[in-house]
Amino acid sequence: MTDELLPHVALSRHAHNRLGLQRTDEAWLEERWADPATRVLVVAGTRLRVLGGEVPLVPAAEAPDGTRVLLGETDGTTWFASIVAPEAAPGDPEEWVPLRGLLPALPGRPELAPLLFHAIGLAEWHHATRFCPRCATPLVSRAAGHELRCPRCDRAQFPRTDPAVIMAVRHGEELLLGRQPRWPADRWSTLAGFCEPGETLEDAVRREVDEEVGVRVGEVTYFGNQPWPLPASLMLGFVAHAETREIDVDGAEIEAARWFSREEFAAAVAAGEMQVPRGVSISSSLIADWYGGPLPGSD
């Protein structure tokens, strides 16, 4: 399998050194922040600014005051994020977009993707985790943004990542795709769902497929994974081999599902009757891997 088929894998090849041991070294953090070569991603709430199709990377001296987060280092450059309130964001509100709006452009700047995912993942966590779950006291940022601690009871909170399974359900040469009720009428994708406590990933695949479309899955093979901070998931991809074909959708999460041959799939996409995931999503990679090449209509 090539990067052309697996764009989500290509993005992960630019992982940054997260410098975890420096997160509590205040003198080191101040020194790196003062370095003119240091660059900062400004996050407004959980949104990033886009100017001319690019995310601005500003010197620390030009970054607005906010919650300072150490992202790490790449090629000798230290990276921070500054998380500010939306009302304190510079520029026009229309310039600030959620991470999902940036996904189509990420293949052109794959070296930035891990930094953006890291920054947005922590911003989402800071946004959702404001009070101590034990005593409701407002939490204080520590460890360069990677810990939230209660000043009253000293209880610490750490970022969470929720495992979610996403699967290409195959039967012979056919692929099962479904659609959610809230999607546009022509949008179809692979099935997905969250892993539950005490459940293996393979059993989560089997359970989700059974619950959503009534198809029984036997063999489950690992495909790959992708950070997905929307808001805090790790997408774990699998190929699920169906033992039955009859479809019985649950009507809640999935309103329609059907089996596609490669010929039917190509014809539906080419005719504009069906839209499928594109770009860096692992769902697109799963479909392209089954299809055996770039998806119809890809540049």
Side-chain angles (χ1 to χ4, degrees):
M1 293 179 284
T2 67
D3 287 356
E4 187 176 32
L5 297 185
L6 308 178
H8 75 285
V9 173
L11 293 181
S12 68
R13 290 182 177 167
H14 301 273
H16 52 289
N17 181 348
R18 296 182 175 232
L19 299 174
L21 297 179
Q22 273 70 50
R23 290 172 184 167
T24 57
D25 188 337
E26 295 298 332
W28 183 92
L29 291 168
E30 289 300 326
E31 177 185 338
R32 301 317 300 162
W33 184 265
D35 187 341
T38 291
R39 288 296 178 266
V40 180
L41 287 166
V42 181
V43 186
T46 60
R47 293 177 174 242
L48 290 165
R49 192 180 190 187
V50 178
L51 294 175
E54 298 281 346
V55 177
L57 312 171
V58 303
E62 298 177 13
D65 290 335
T67 299
R68 192 181 301 179
V69 174
L70 174 65
L71 300 177
E73 182 181 78
T74 59
D75 300 324
T77 298
T78 304
W79 295 85
F80 287 85
S82 181
I83 305 172
V84 303
E87 59 271 19
D92 296 328
E94 294 77 15
E95 295 171 351
W96 295 86
V97 302
L99 179 59
R100 191 179 294 277
L102 289 174
L103 293 178
L106 287 183
R109 292 294 303 276
E111 73 280 4
L112 287 182
L115 291 163
L116 298 181
F117 286 167
H118 190 177
I120 289 296
L122 284 173
E124 291 276 6
W125 176 60
H126 277 259
H127 176 73
T129 313
R130 303 182 185 184
F131 302 96
C132 176
R134 177 179 291 172
C135 67
T137 300
L139 296 169
V140 177
S141 179
R142 294 286 187 268
H146 291 77
E147 176 187 327
L148 294 172
R149 186 168 288 274
C150 177
R152 180 180 180 186
C153 67
D154 204 38
R155 183 183 179 92
Q157 304 294 321
F158 298 95
R160 291 188 55 182
T161 296
D162 300 320
V165 293
I166 184 166
M167 42 278 182
V169 183
R170 301 186 188 186
H171 188 277
E173 297 299 311
E174 293 186 316
L175 178 69
L176 179 68
L177 297 177
R179 51 167 285 96
Q180 297 183 12
R182 59 187 177 84
W183 289 353
D186 60 351
R187 181 179 173 188
W188 294 73
S189 187
T190 51
L191 304 183
F194 285 99
C195 185
E196 296 187 349
E199 186 176 45
T200 68
L201 296 170
E202 292 81 0
D203 284 342
V205 170
R206 297 184 182 101
R207 174 185 53 78
E208 286 287 347
V209 175
D210 180 50
E211 289 177 355
E212 293 184 348
V213 296
V215 170
R216 187 173 69 247
V217 166
E219 181 184 2
V220 175
T221 56
Y222 177 70
F223 177 81
N225 67 86
Q226 177 180 53
W228 201 247
L230 301 167
S233 298
L234 176 67
M235 302 296 292
L236 298 137
F238 294 88
V239 175
H241 300 275
E243 295 180 340
T244 61
R245 287 180 52 84
E246 183 177 354
I247 295 172
D248 181 17
V249 298
D250 64 4
E253 293 191 50
I254 301 296
E255 71 169 8
R258 60 167 285 194
W259 295 100
F260 290 88
S261 68
R262 291 180 180 84
E263 293 75 16
E264 292 169 337
F265 174 83
V269 174
E273 300 170 356
M274 181 172 67
Q275 300 294 324
V276 294
R278 302 281 183 172
V280 300
S281 76
I282 194 170
S283 180
S284 178
S285 295
L286 283 163
I287 297 172
D289 180 66
W290 161 78
Y291 188 68
L295 299 182
S298 299
D299 295 332

